């Protein structure tokens, strides 16, 4: 098997599979390496769905990535006949109004206005009328983006990999990269079995394992965290089940603005819905993390978020599943050159909100690898903003 390439991508999840596709379609001789067989349930990119929107409350720098990602997914859909992005709409709701400029809702509205993204501001009556399954309080306010919705995540990754292979990209599944070794004209990747693969440029898109592979300063900077998703059954009330089936994705901020949760329409025809909230940023080790979610966690989710807010949702979870976020110190993306290995680009940990941007991140990285001009400026996500990276490793 060939072991010298223009480009090697370590990790073929959301970001790596998009990078492999974009690199292969640019004619680069490339290989993708993954320790599992993606799409799989061990990283950050499983559980059927991820919310996508273009009015990005996390920061204006993300909007071009989201806009471009939507365009790429629509193009992939046209080429394959597969549904990757369902535009169910996305509602960002703040209890008690919460439209201050520094609130998530306020920043979402500002992003929509700044980039002329189709949206509607809704008061509580309008929310309850349009979406009878949301028990909005009288002072609540929302921003509805009709072009938002959700991505079919496993299908997105499978489609990236299918098209990447069709374009000549090689996939090495079930292979773990254990070390990177700069050599003349490239980087040697050592696999767990002892084989070495050499590439002129290497992209590390290893998600929650990036710190373990790269060592310091990444091991300290990047914090893998355990997250839990819950699927709750719906009451067999036809009108509410229909509202859930036809409804939008949502991000719902509590009145105290310190907590929020999010959820999806029912994608199984009104039987269950998926909902979750962000877990505290407690560092875990992906290989030893507790992978089972207990009924107590589902009960806490229901009591703390669902009860009194989501109508027609039963308390006993149908199932729960764990997943991993990797948090950077400022919760923003970390994409850029390795401080000590100039042919290694680190491009993975997307701090819990990265799937919706992954198609454009893959394209932007491939443009850089191919020596093309950047269509989207990734400078705001550069690793050098962290003191630990700016200092010599
Ligand atoms: C519960 C939850 C909800 C989320 N909700 C949203 C949302 O609504 N919207 C949104 O946009 N984002 C959301 N996110 C975030 C989003 O899913 C992630 O940002 C994204 O999936 C990260 O992709 P990735 O490619 O960095 O990591 P992954 O998809 O985990 O890919 C990393 C890959 O690297 C491989 N790998 C690791 N180490 C090695 C090695 N040494 N050798 C070979 N292969 C290796 C792994 O097997 C894996 O396949 C959510 C995440 C979670 C967990």
């Amino acid at each position: 098997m060939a072991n010298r390439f223009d480009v090697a991508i370590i990790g073929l999840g959301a970001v790596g599979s998009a990078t492999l596709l974009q690199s292969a379609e640019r004619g680069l001789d490339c290989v993708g390496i993954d320790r599992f067989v993606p799409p799989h349930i061990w990283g950050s990119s499983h559980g059927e769905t991820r919310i996508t929107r273009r009015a990005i409350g996390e920061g204006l720098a993300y909007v071009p990535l989201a806009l471009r990602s939507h365009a790429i997914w629509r193009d992939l859909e046209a080429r394959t006949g597969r549904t990757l992005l369902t535009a169910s709409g996305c509602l960002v709701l703040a209890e008690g109004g919460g439209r201050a400029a520094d609130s998530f809702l306020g920043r979402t509205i500002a992003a929509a206005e700044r980039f002329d993204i189709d949206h509607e501001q809704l008061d509580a009556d309008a929310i309850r009328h349009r979406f009878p399954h949301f028990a909005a309080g009288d002072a609540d306010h929302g921003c509805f983006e009709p072009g938002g919705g959700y991505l079919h995540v496993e299908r997105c990754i499978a489609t990236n990999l299918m098209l990447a292979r069709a374009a000549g990209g090689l996939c090495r599944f079930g292979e773990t990269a254990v070390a990177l070794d700069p050599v003349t004209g490239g980087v040697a990747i050592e696999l767990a079995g002892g084989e070495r693969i050499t590439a002129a440029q290497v992209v590390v898109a290893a998600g929650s394992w990036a710190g373990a592979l790269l060592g310091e300063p990444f091991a300290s900077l990047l914090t893998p965290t355990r997250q839990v998703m819950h699927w709750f059954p719906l009451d067999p009330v036809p009108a509410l089940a229909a509202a859930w089936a036809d409804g939008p994705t949502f991000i719902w901020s509590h009145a105290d603005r310190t907590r929020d949760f999010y959820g999806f329409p029912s994608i199984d025809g009104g039987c269950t819905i998926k909902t979750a909230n962000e877990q505290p940023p407690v560092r875990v080790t992906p290989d030893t993390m507790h992978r089972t979610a207990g009924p107590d966690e589902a009960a806490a989710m229901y009591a703390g978020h669902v009860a009194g807010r989501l109508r027609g949702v039963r308390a006993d979870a149908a199932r729960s599943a764990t997943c991993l976020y990797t948090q950077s110190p400022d919760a923003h993306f970390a994409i850029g050159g390795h401080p000590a290995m100039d042919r290694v680009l680190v491009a993975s940990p997307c701090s819990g909100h990265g799937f919706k941007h992954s198609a454009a991140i893959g394209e932007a990285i491939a443009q850089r690898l191919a020596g093309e001009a950047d269509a989207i400026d990734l400078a705001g996500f550069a690793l050098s903003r962290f003191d630990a990276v700016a200092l010599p490793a």
Side-chain angles (χ1 to χ4, degrees):
M1 194 173 293
N3 65 1
R4 295 189 72 86
F5 298 88
D6 296 337
V7 172
I9 297 152
I10 301 172
L12 296 173
V15 174
S17 66
T19 305
L20 183 69
L21 168 61
Q22 295 287 341
S23 301
E25 294 199 334
R26 280 172 169 72
L28 296 171
D29 180 24
C30 48
V31 61
I33 302 164
D34 202 288
R35 56 189 295 160
F36 300 111
V37 181
H40 60 75
I41 61 165
W42 305 107
S44 301
S45 300
H46 58 281
E48 302 168 352
T49 49
R50 293 289 184 273
I51 293 175
T52 186
R53 28 192 174 94
R54 295 163 302 173
I56 303 291
E58 286 86 350
L60 295 178
Y62 293 97
V63 178
L65 286 174
L67 291 168
R68 181 65 193 141
S69 290
H70 276 222
I72 292 171
W73 277 307
R74 290 308 190 206
D75 175 59
L76 298 184
E77 288 178 330
R79 290 166 57 189
T80 60
R82 297 178 175 185
T83 300
L84 303 179
L85 190 170
T86 297
S88 59
C90 179
L91 177 71
V92 174
L93 184 151
E95 289 179 1
R99 259 180 296 172
D102 66 340
S103 68
F104 187 73
L105 175 60
R107 293 195 306 269
T108 298
I109 294 168
E113 290 172 345
R114 165 78 177 72
F115 285 88
D116 201 19
I117 294 164
D118 193 16
H119 69 290
E120 290 172 69
Q121 293 194 47
L122 303 178
D123 64 15
D125 279 340
I127 293 170
R128 291 185 294 240
H129 178 71
R130 291 270 287 275
F131 310 116
H133 51 308
F134 294 150
D138 288 341
D140 298 356
H141 194 88
C143 176
F144 177 65
E145 182 188 329
Y150 57 93
L151 294 154
H152 302 262
V153 285
E154 287 88 354
R155 207 180 295 152
C156 288
I157 291 173
T159 301
N160 286 341
L161 295 176
M162 178 189 75
L163 293 175
R165 293 167 103 166
L170 187 67
C171 290
R172 298 281 305 267
F173 295 146
E175 302 277 10
T176 303
V178 293
L180 302 178
D181 181 16
V183 294
T184 306
V187 178
I189 300 167
E190 186 181 331
L191 301 182
E195 184 186 348
R196 280 164 77 90
I197 289 176
T198 305
Q201 301 181 86
V202 170
V203 178
V204 176
S208 293
W209 288 267
L213 174 62
L214 292 165
E216 294 300 345
F218 297 96
S220 298
L221 275 176
L222 305 174
T223 305
T225 68
R226 177 181 180 274
Q227 303 292 326
V228 189
M229 305 171 274
H230 305 281
W231 285 258
F232 288 98
L234 295 176
D235 284 329
V237 177
L240 275 181
W244 274 112
D246 296 338
T249 54
F250 62 91
I251 301 170
W252 188 307
S253 302
H254 288 229
D256 63 13
R257 284 176 59 179
T258 63
R259 290 177 299 153
D260 56 29
F261 72 113
Y262 58 90
F264 296 80
S266 174
I267 64 166
D268 56 11
C271 291
T272 62
I273 58 145
K274 184 176 88 169
T275 182
N277 69 316
E278 187 164 298
Q279 301 297 301
V282 177
R283 179 181 287 274
V284 297
T285 303
D287 291 334
T288 57
M289 181 186 88
H290 185 50
R291 293 275 176 173
T292 306
D296 52 324
E297 295 180 270
M301 177 73 209
Y302 189 89
H305 300 281
V306 176
R309 295 185 174 89
L310 305 184
R311 298 182 62 217
V313 179
R314 303 174 78 129
D316 288 337
R319 65 189 164 107
S320 300
T322 58
C323 194
L324 283 151
Y325 277 179
T326 304
Q327 294 285 20
S328 71
D330 59 9
H332 290 293
F333 293 176
I335 304 171
H338 190 287
M341 292 187 273
D342 62 355
R343 289 170 179 269
V344 174
L345 198 139
V346 180
S348 198
C350 289
S351 294
H353 53 109
F355 204 102
K356 71 179 79 57
H357 305 292
S358 58
I361 292 173
E363 181 183 62
I365 293 169
Q367 286 167 337
R368 198 175 285 189
L369 297 171
E372 298 171 15
D374 291 354
I376 294 180
D377 184 8
L378 298 178
F381 307 121
L383 305 169
S384 54
R385 74 182 186 278
F386 303 119
D387 287 346
V389 178
L391 299 170

